[in-house]
Structure formats: structure tokens, C-alpha cells
Amino acid sequence: QICLSLVKLLFYLAHSPLGSIVLLDFQPRQFVMVDGNLKVTDMDDASTEELSCKEDNDCTLDFPTKSFPLKCSAVGKCEGINEKKNLFNAYRYFFTYLLPHSAPPALRPFLSDILNATGDLRYGINETLKAFEKVLHLYKSGLYLQKRPLLLKDYISLKGFRTVEGEDYKCWPSYSHLGCLLSVHGAEEAAAICNSQSQCQSFIVTQRRTWTGRPLASFQSSLTDLIPDANAVVYIKRSASSGERL
């Protein structure tokens, strides 16, 4: 969410009515999240000036660990230098820390491609935004889910009940510090996640949603403390249940 919001912001800066705007003091502390959108807190160090040049050799974009040769345009300006400076700063301050983590395994290659392409400045801001939107579409639609055996049949469903929320086993990247609360596309994906975790004996797909509209599923190691809830369904591993318990 943070990276996508940042890319949308940089897309606007690259195509602003004032021209391509560069953020000269590009640091994480210069940004804040407001209602799920990343915003710049200080525009004092923003500029529309692009480096003047006479030849291509005048247009090297230097960073502490990398340098990029750019073209000198016919009007004597280094082509795209503001856009590329913003994009590489986004890569080194945000993408490298946030993109490799917490995505479903099937989506990680797409995020790695974005990371590598922006790190080498092979992508401009247009291509980067398009790549992010593709990943978001796959994520929200569930199209990233690979064809695999249906696992929900290995679970008994108890409609009209939910588990009592409390401290349980932890997992990464949980939305709750008390237990294992993860975003899923639906009950089938939740079953696959539960199967992959040795502690998991049951799960419930909650009514809560993430910013993408995906439901949150709570995974638990205990089958006890079920309470009535007309809108809920608890899924219990058949191997963990018994006739006496049910």
C-alpha cells in the first residue's frame, strides 16, 4: 500500500502542470500516510529545474552506490533526470525495505521484477505504476492463486460460531500481535495457509477487510472457546476434531 501510493505520487510529480518535479530532500521522514495515501509533508525542497547540459557526459545521475548515464536533450536538458532521481530514491528508501516482505509467494517474482527494474532504472515512472497496478489486480482478484488440490474438504465447517479472540501462536506477517491474523482471498486460501502451519488447528474468515477489500482470517491452535455468531463460520481440521468434541 505504501509503495503503490508513493508511485502514484511520483507519477503525479513527473506529469505535473508545472513540469517534472524533483524532491531534493527525499527521506522517509518527509512523508506521512493520510487515509491510506502517502503525502509529502514539506515541499520547500521541491524543484522543477532540470540539469542543463551540452552533451551526454554532462548528464550522469550520481548516487552513493550507483551512477546512471542519461541523455542530453536537443533543448540542453538532461532527459528525465527529475523523474529518475525520484524513482531511484523510492527504490532505495522504500522498495528495498518493503517489497520483498509479506507478499504471497506467487506474487514475489512480480515484485522482484519491479525491484530490479527500478534499481537499475530500466523502468520509468509510467512502467513502474503499470507494474504495480498489475500486481494489485492479481492480488485483489485472486488470480495469483495457482491451481492446486482443494484443501477446504479437509475441514469441518461450523456455521453460526466463531472463536473467542485471544493470545495464540504468532505468525508473519500478522495483522495482530496477539496471534495469527492474515489477509486471504477466501476460505480456500485460508485452508492452504492453515495446512502450511503446524500449530494451526482451525481458522475463521472474519468480517474485517484490508485496504484492498480482502478479508482477514484468524488462525488458531485451539478448538475451544466457541461462541455463537450468526454471521461466522469456523473451519476445523478433520484430523484435529473428534465426535466427542463436536
Side-chain angles (χ1 to χ4, degrees), residues 156-245:
I156 295 170
S157 62
L158 294 180
K159 295 182 180 180
F161 291 92
R162 65 178 173 84
T163 53
V164 176
E165 288 192 25
E167 191 165 352
D168 206 310
Y169 77 92
K170 311 295 192 299
C171 67
W172 175 259
S174 177
Y175 282 79
S176 169
H177 67 281
L178 295 176
C180 186
L181 185 66
L182 301 175
S183 163
V184 297
H185 182 256
E188 188 62 51
E189 184 179 14
I193 293 173
C194 190
N195 274 22
S196 70
Q197 298 174 344
S198 59
Q199 307 100 312
C200 184
Q201 299 299 316
S202 65
F203 67 87
I204 177 173
V205 180
T206 74
Q207 300 297 310
R208 284 176 285 176
R209 303 272 169 170
T210 69
W211 66 281
T212 60
R214 287 162 55 96
L216 292 175
S218 177
F219 300 87
Q220 298 192 336
S221 60
S222 172
L223 303 180
T224 59
D225 299 327
L226 295 180
I227 58 177
D229 186 334
N231 298 317
V233 181
V234 177
Y235 297 89
I236 302 172
K237 279 184 178 178
R238 292 183 183 275
S239 59
S241 63
S242 68
E244 291 80 6
R245 183 180 294 275

Side-chain angles (χ1 to χ4, degrees), residues 124-177:
I125 192 62
N126 294 358
E127 294 86 357
T128 303
L129 178 58
K130 184 177 180 180
F132 266 102
E133 289 178 335
K134 177 182 178 181
V135 174
L136 179 63
H137 172 67
L138 293 173
Y139 185 59
K140 291 174 69 174
S141 65
L143 291 173
Y144 68 91
L145 295 169
Q146 300 171 343
K147 289 184 178 179
R148 53 191 170 191
L150 298 179
L151 301 174
L152 204 56
K153 59 180 173 49
D154 297 330
Y155 290 77
I156 295 170
S157 62
L158 294 180
K159 295 182 180 180
F161 291 92
R162 65 178 173 84
T163 53
V164 176
E165 288 192 25
E167 191 165 352
D168 206 310
Y169 77 92
K170 311 295 192 299
C171 67
W172 175 259
S174 177
Y175 282 79
S176 169
H177 67 281

Side-chain angles (χ1 to χ4, degrees), residues 29-132:
R29 64 174 179 268
Q30 299 283 22
F31 299 89
V32 64
M33 290 292 285
V34 179
D35 297 328
N37 295 306
L38 204 67
K39 296 184 182 293
V40 184
T41 60
D42 185 2
M43 291 294 289
D44 289 346
D45 295 309
S47 173
T48 58
E49 292 295 320
E50 291 195 305
L51 186 64
S52 298
C53 58
K54 292 183 179 179
E55 57 184 26
D56 290 350
N57 288 338
D58 298 328
C59 292
T60 301
L61 182 56
D62 290 315
F63 292 96
T65 58
K66 276 190 176 183
S67 294
F68 300 96
L70 304 180
K71 297 289 185 181
C72 182
S73 71
V75 295
K77 298 289 183 181
C78 295
E79 287 185 356
I81 191 168
N82 287 353
E83 173 188 328
K84 292 180 185 297
K85 192 169 188 177
N86 284 341
L87 189 55
F88 190 78
N89 277 327
Y91 159 80
R92 65 180 182 140
Y93 287 120
F94 287 89
F95 297 172
T96 54
Y97 296 104
L98 299 177
L99 287 188
H101 310 291
S102 77
L107 289 179
R108 289 174 192 166
F110 295 97
L111 296 178
S112 293
D113 288 344
I114 293 174
L115 195 64
N116 293 331
T118 52
D120 294 334
L121 286 184
R122 287 185 284 109
Y123 280 1
I125 192 62
N126 294 358
E127 294 86 357
T128 303
L129 178 58
K130 184 177 180 180
F132 266 102

